[in-house]
Amino acid sequence: MSKERIKIAPEMFDIMPEEYQDLVDRATYGKEGRGWKDIGTSKELIEEHSLCAGCPESMAFRYILASLPAPEDTVMVGSTGCTSLVFPHVGVHNIHSLFGNQNAIASGLKRALSVRFPGQVKDVVVLAGDGATVDIGLDMTLQAWFRQEKFTTICFDNELYANTGGQESGLMQKGFVAKMAPVGKTFEKVKLPEIARESGCHYVVNCTVSKPNLVEKVIKNAIHVAREIGPTYLQLYTPCILEIGKNSMEGLQEMRDSEKPTERFAYKEYVSDEAKELLTELAAKEKERKAAAKKQLAGKA
Amino acid sequence: MSTMYEVLPGPEHFLPPAAASMGVRLPDPGQAHIHGKIVNEDDAMEAAARQFLSAKVPTIFPGPLVLWAWNEKAAKKATAIRHLYETIKESVTPSQQAMLIPMPDYRPKYPKINPEIEINPNHPNLTIWHNKIDACMFVGVHCHQANLSLKIIRGGTYCYTIAMCAQAGHEDAMVSFRDATADKIMRLADWVKKLKGSVEPPKD
Ligand SMILES: Cc1ncc(C[n+]2csc(CCOP(=O)(O)OP(=O)(O)O)c2C)c(N)n1
Ligand code: SF4
Ligand SMILES: [Mg+2]
């Protein structure tokens, strides 16, 4: 269905830069069961990125974009920060909002889309840094959850304000000293996943982006629950290697170290009863789909 | 007595004024404007065709509204634009080089665009400088981005700008049509054909 909407006019095809031709010919818009395994075999929905070399945010972006269930029917809402430098390279509709306003913009957008396209799937996904989500935008974040707005909020938690050189954020660990926060954080990391649960989110996960299959699972779950039931929240550790003094190759290990059972990014999940029911249903359908596809493949062989 | 502001090729330098703020009005249906003066559409057709035929590098910049076949009208316009480009190519002398360079979208592209194959509204001058484009036509570019680009071009280059606008026209272009359709673009191609050989080619 979706590829119908991204056709280049035939007379213009040859003059289009290669990356656009690739997007139309080899991207996975509209592909059922798209996921992280498409990376490397199809055109990704991210062209390049302008993050620091080895920044885990770039991995996170790639996995998330590969996992969106319907990228052609998704609008992402970003905010100022390192993530906002990536959005211009992303092959999914996106809106840059004033720092901190992302969940307010997404609320209006989601409602407008439901009025404009009744009965059609239109996913709204917020993706912003911890400064935007937890500090300057906390009001907007919480109010959207209280109101049960049906979209997903993703926070790239790098535990500080990376884009402006390392100021203290609410998600920074207690005692941490950053370049622009020399005194050290005096209070605990804000427990936003718990707050999200108490504020009405139906699916909440706190984890790192070290495992692509896990990122795919939580993204799909969060978006499906938001589509059908209500707000969902993902807090993903994407360490700022620049600010914590790591090299380009060390981001992955940093995430692995921080997701050990006793660490602050040990996998944590909350699923409301309604969401559990929906996810069980969807899992059964997915199983059926895979079995049918397998059967079809065997029939062809 | 005030003299009327004329929308002319630059370089007008940093921050050229929005022509609208200088009193330039948009044409009514059936009309167009040349340098800010309201004229009959046919006069503007002739003026645009003459610019294409007398430029060293006459170029069409199709934008997203015609590059992507998002509806039937868009696809028809794309066909007409290709026809106009082929007509210009056939009508100019070997010392002239017609170009068709897309503006696929409006995002600020990092680290840089490739000016040989695309134009970006945030720094259209790069493509114009690189290819030494001295006359261009915008078509299928959303109003705001076209206005932005047309002003930047007037500010930093000597390129002559033409807007084939699907809405009410552009004050910031040197020649602007309004209510563009595939037929109107074909009519412009006819004008180019008609004037072929009668316009002096550029001197080196
Ligand atoms: C309204 C407003 N206030 C402040 C800023 C300055 N500013 C730009 S990026 C940034 C910090 C971003 O931190 P975070 O949301 O954690 O994203 P990160 O860069 O760490 O990914 C700030 C404060 C701004 N752009 N707009
Ligand atoms: S400053 Fe930190 S978060 Fe931002 S791109 Fe660089 S490593 Fe990534
Ligand atoms: Mg941050």
Side-chain angles (χ1 to χ4, degrees), chain A residues 57 80-82 99 128-132 155-163 167 169 171 238 240:
Chain A
E57 284 194 355
T80 322
C82 289
F99 194 61
D130 47 309
C155 172
F156 274 9
D157 181 6
N158 53 14
E159 308 194 294
L160 43 68
Y161 291 27
N163 197 236
Q167 291 82 6
S169 127
L171 290 190
T238 53
C240 173

Side-chain angles (χ1 to χ4, degrees), chain B residues 12-134:
Chain B
E12 221 174 320
H13 303 301
F14 192 52
L15 294 182
S21 73
M22 304 303 285
V24 173
R25 290 192 295 116
L26 289 173
D28 283 330
Q31 300 176 325
H33 85 73
I34 302 177
H35 303 164
K37 200 172 145 225
I38 305 293
V39 297
N40 278 327
E41 200 171 70
D42 269 341
D43 293 350
M45 289 268 171
E46 179 173 347
R50 284 185 184 278
Q51 284 300 327
F52 284 140
L53 292 168
S54 61
K56 282 188 184 154
V57 188
T59 302
I60 304 175
F61 294 131
L65 289 165
V66 292
L67 289 168
W68 299 92
W70 55 287
N71 66 20
E72 218 174 290
K73 266 192 201 162
K76 275 194 184 150
K77 275 190 203 165
T79 311
I81 291 160
R82 191 79 198 203
H83 173 73
L84 173 61
Y85 165 67
E86 299 296 344
T87 308
I88 298 171
K89 219 162 73 171
E90 283 161 18
S91 307
V92 295
T93 61
S95 67
Q96 295 166 280
Q97 190 200 354
M99 298 189 90
L100 180 61
I101 299 181
M103 184 186 282
D105 56 36
Y106 308 133
R107 64 201 170 113
K109 279 177 96 168
Y110 304 112
K112 65 181 179 64
I113 60 143
N114 179 350
E116 257 165 46
I117 58 166
E118 63 185 314
I119 180 165
N120 185 282
N122 306 293
H123 34 63
N125 46 327
L126 298 183
T127 300
I128 288 174
W129 288 336
H130 182 87
N131 300 294
K132 300 189 168 54
I133 295 168
D134 50 352

